[in-house]
Amino acid sequence: MPTVRDLRAKAGDEPITMLTAYDAPTAEIVDDAGVDVILVGDSVGNVVLGHETTVPVTVDGIAHHVGAVSRAVDDALVVADMPFLSFGVDETDSLENAGRMLKEEGAQAVKLESGSHTVDLTEKMVQLGIPVMAHLGLTPQHVNQYGGYPRQGTDQEAAERMLELAIEHEEAGAFSLVLEHVPSNLAARITEELDIPTVGIGAGPDCDGQVLVFDDAVGISEWTPSFSKQFGNVREEMEAAVDDYVSAVESETFPGDAHSYEERDLEDIY
Ligand code: KIV
């Protein structure tokens, strides 16, 4: 089982791989492929649960998925994404919510969508033994403030502020930093400045690692952001399998002899 220290050691040698997963079979596939980090992202809200955004995801909801993923994983580091307002409002609640992901659900770390409000909280969590992955750039829990999902760090002032916040989170003890939807030259600069690994999504090639949403990467999602890439077309495979099933049942070719059995001892019932 890799630790947050292994991840730090890998950075600089080899790119870190990270994908989301929300259930046990997917987590098994991702883990067997040798992915370093599995993020149980709050993207579960819009990717799996049918919400428009990640805002409605609850602590109980994410806990359910973190448990399923942790039970299936042998090797990858499992990171639980803390949902909107489950951290940063009240310190005790924040610590208890994050602690629950480790104590009860088997995660090894949490991710916090970060800002100036998470620097002290990151330090406190780390002191208590909860490893924290920070997240700067586009933080989708702010969708209502942004009015969408715009690229971040696009002017000098915003870029400098992001660099400062990255350094503050490293100093607070975060073990890595996700950079989402930021210019690649800014991500490169932040990566160069930090000792902890950066993991990019829509942040160009110079981060220490890359992360994508599983459903986008394998081609289940109907829509994917411009910075993502479909490495397969699993949706087409699923559609074909479901069509075949419907045809087989409707044409009464399933179930056939191979998928049924007769019990001789029940002959008397006829
Ligand atoms: O929730 C999520 O899937 C994420 C990744 C996109 C980094 O936060």
Side-chain angles (χ1 to χ4, degrees):
M1 187 70 80
T3 63
V4 295
R5 290 171 70 108
D6 297 331
L7 205 68
R8 284 186 70 152
K10 191 176 177 190
D13 286 349
E14 251 186 286
I16 291 166
T17 52
M18 174 163 146
L19 275 174
T20 66
Y22 316 107
D23 60 52
T26 308
E28 243 170 58
I29 292 169
V30 173
D31 193 36
D32 288 351
V35 166
D36 298 307
V37 184
I38 299 184
L39 172 69
V40 188
D42 66 347
S43 50
V44 70
N46 45 295
V47 173
V48 170
L49 301 179
H51 296 298
E52 296 246 319
T53 70
T54 60
V55 168
V57 175
T58 62
V59 176
D60 285 346
I62 202 90
H64 192 66
H65 293 278
V66 173
V69 167
S70 299
R71 286 189 287 278
V73 166
D74 291 323
D75 294 319
L77 184 81
V78 176
V79 179
D81 206 5
M82 296 312 296
F84 180 55
L85 300 188
S86 68
F87 63 96
V89 180
D90 173 79
E91 189 182 83
T92 308
D93 286 350
S94 307
L95 298 172
E96 281 174 1
N97 290 335
R100 175 174 166 195
M101 299 303 148
L102 276 67
K103 266 174 98 152
E104 295 175 22
E105 306 301 342
Q108 281 103 45
V110 299
K111 177 170 81 58
L112 304 181
E113 290 195 7
S114 310
S116 49
H117 62 297
T118 55
V119 177
D120 291 347
L121 184 60
T122 297
E123 188 167 5
K124 187 75 185 171
M125 284 189 181
V126 173
Q127 276 169 359
L128 289 172
I130 304 170
V132 175
M133 175 178 266
H135 179 164
L136 292 171
L138 177 68
T139 46
Q141 291 170 13
H142 287 82
V143 58
N144 289 302
Q145 212 156 3
Y146 299 141
Y149 297 101
R151 207 151 56 104
Q152 298 294 306
T154 51
D155 62 57
Q156 193 63 28
E157 195 186 330
E160 276 168 21
R161 183 65 191 129
M162 204 182 299
L163 176 59
E164 272 167 26
L165 279 171
I167 294 168
E168 285 171 27
H169 282 82
E170 172 170 272
E171 286 171 359
F175 72 91
S176 67
L177 169 68
V178 167
L179 288 170
E180 179 163 354
H181 211 12
V182 301
S184 48
N185 47 341
L186 173 58
R189 172 81 182 89
I190 293 174
T191 301
E192 190 184 278
E193 192 66 36
L194 298 187
D195 286 331
I196 58 171
T198 58
V199 183
I201 173 163
D206 294 320
C207 293
D208 295 302
Q210 296 293 326
V211 55
L212 284 181
V213 166
F214 178 85
D215 297 55
D216 295 346
V218 302
I220 300 176
S221 310
E222 276 192 304
W223 174 88
T224 53
S226 57
F227 54 71
S228 194
K229 178 173 170 179
Q230 292 193 338
F231 292 84
N233 198 336
V234 173
R235 191 179 188 92
E236 229 171 69
E237 283 282 314
M238 287 168 119
E239 283 169 351
V242 174
D243 283 348
D244 285 355
Y245 165 73
V246 170
S247 304
V249 172
E250 286 178 351
S251 62
E252 298 180 15
T253 56
F254 177 83
D257 289 347
H259 301 104
S260 325
Y261 75 96
E262 271 183 32
E263 183 59 65
R264 289 218 178 95
D265 291 347
L266 293 182
E267 275 171 8
D268 285 351
I269 67 164
Y270 292 104

